[in-house]
Amino acid sequence: MEQTRATQLVQMQDAFSPSPLHTEEELRNFYYETTEARTGDKYSDFVDSMVIQAEDSGNSALHKLFIGHAGSGKTTELFRLYHKLKEKNYFVCFGRCDIDLDSGDVEYTEVLFYILDLLIREAKEKDIEIKENVLSDIVAYWTSIQEVNATVCQQKEMEVEGGFSAGVKLKNVLEIMAKIKGILKSSEETKRQIRQSISPRSSELMARIREVIDNLEEELQCRNYPKMPFIILDGLDKIPLEQARKIFKENGSKFAELPIHLLVTFPIALTYTEEYRNIQIWLPNPEKLPMIKLKNWVKDHYESGYTEGTETMRRIVEKRADLGLFENGVLDLLISQTGGYIRDLFRCIGKAAIRARVRRADTISIEDAELALNLLESDINGCYSSDLIPAMKDIYEGHKHVNSSEEITKLMQVGAVLEYNGTRWCDLHPLVEKWLLEHQKLGAG
């Protein structure tokens, strides 16, 4: 459902939905440029940079990680990139791994399968022919796996023997892929059996993907389009860290071998570990989306008079709602206490708007905002243990350089500590700092 700018409180829930902006109309109506407030450099726009890299890459493939806090706006930026690449006639696929796969239990073979599925479906969407021998190889691969053949290929027209006398059709392949995707998301036992069969034969799966890519490149060249497909995979930043290690560190070479442009979201917590450097062997030069900083840390102090971040957050809100819906000082309070974290700000605006509606009011009051902030404060401060307080005290006292300690990793994961621009400095979430000060956890000793 398309979002509408709020002019009344009854419209606030839709206007500040946590869903990313994904259509061209939504981006046109509600997107506000945040590059300078995030990076300190107005020429560091993520989308412009990625498009130029793709255009300048020639025959070399881009394989990149995209990193940022959950809720910082990554998916919206990825949709911006998707639409920009489409404008330039790229064969581009956008995959939501957190929706289409079981993000709580996913392995690299499922990600490879998903890439194959995206390529085939986009080919159908663009009316690009995939040769019959390529389709036959895909069907032969899946039907040669006993668990897949027994569970998926039940219909007569999908059986291995005599089922394709009239030739393999794209719809046959799409049906098989759809059923496999459903199993990988929902049936634990069959998924385990399929994994055991696919893993030793992952090189064959890679060969099938490369055949499809070669086929697509031929067709794209005939149309005078950029010949290399571009795959965007969102949602892999949400998977458990141990699974992310297996996908990106132990099997990152599989993705690096694919002759496509590939951009994948990546758990920010893993960027503070020793494995991160090794992962970059396969997926080098990561792209980052820093938080919007409300304060600017320069060497050993906050820059005086810095307002860029706060003003940017106000403009983001103004794109979605009439600022007259906030009483004096309310929006400033909500912005300052959410630390440049778009998701937290939107959550608090939504909560405060509901309370104002219950009061039968027309505007959000300071009390509405404070109660919404209190709920968020309680949630964040309930997500870390007391043994992490010394690490937070260090940050509070000025040791704001991000390090790879286990403590920082945990604090980043729960949003108690937020990372800011390219110099990789971090700070306490304002509501965490507030709670620690009120409970005298940051004092001497």
Side-chain angles (χ1 to χ4, degrees), residues 10-25:
V10 68
Q11 299 168 315
M12 293 291 264
Q13 300 310 306
D14 285 342
F16 291 94
S17 163
S19 299
L21 302 175
H22 69 282
T23 68
E24 290 180 281
E25 183 178 357

Side-chain angles (χ1 to χ4, degrees), residues 38 67-74 289-292 340-343:
R38 292 183 188 272
I67 301 162
H69 283 280
S72 62
K74 295 192 303 300
L289 189 71
M291 300 292 290
I292 296 172
Y341 205 160
I342 294 174
R343 182 179 66 183

Side-chain angles (χ1 to χ4, degrees), residues 26 59 68 97 103 106 118 156 195 200 235 244 253-254 283 292 306-307 342 346:
E26 286 177 346
N59 293 319
C97 298
S103 59
V106 61
L118 288 169
K156 185 175 178 60
R195 281 175 173 173
S253 61
K254 303 289 194 305
L283 298 152
I292 296 172
Y306 179 79
T307 60
I342 294 174
F346 282 16

Side-chain angles (χ1 to χ4, degrees), residues 338-370:
T338 50
Y341 205 160
I342 294 174
R343 182 179 66 183
D344 283 356
L345 176 62
F346 282 16
R347 168 186 164 171
C348 288
I349 289 174
K351 288 281 188 182
I354 290 172
R355 186 177 187 277
R357 291 266 291 138
V358 171
R359 293 190 299 108
R360 303 293 188 266
D362 295 324
T363 56
I364 298 173
S365 69
I366 284 286
E367 187 179 41
D368 297 327
E370 287 176 341

Side-chain angles (χ1 to χ4, degrees), residues 66-83:
F66 186 40
I67 301 162
H69 283 280
S72 62
K74 295 192 303 300
T75 301
T76 291
E77 294 297 323
L78 290 175
F79 274 119
R80 283 185 64 222
L81 175 61
Y82 171 74
H83 290 296

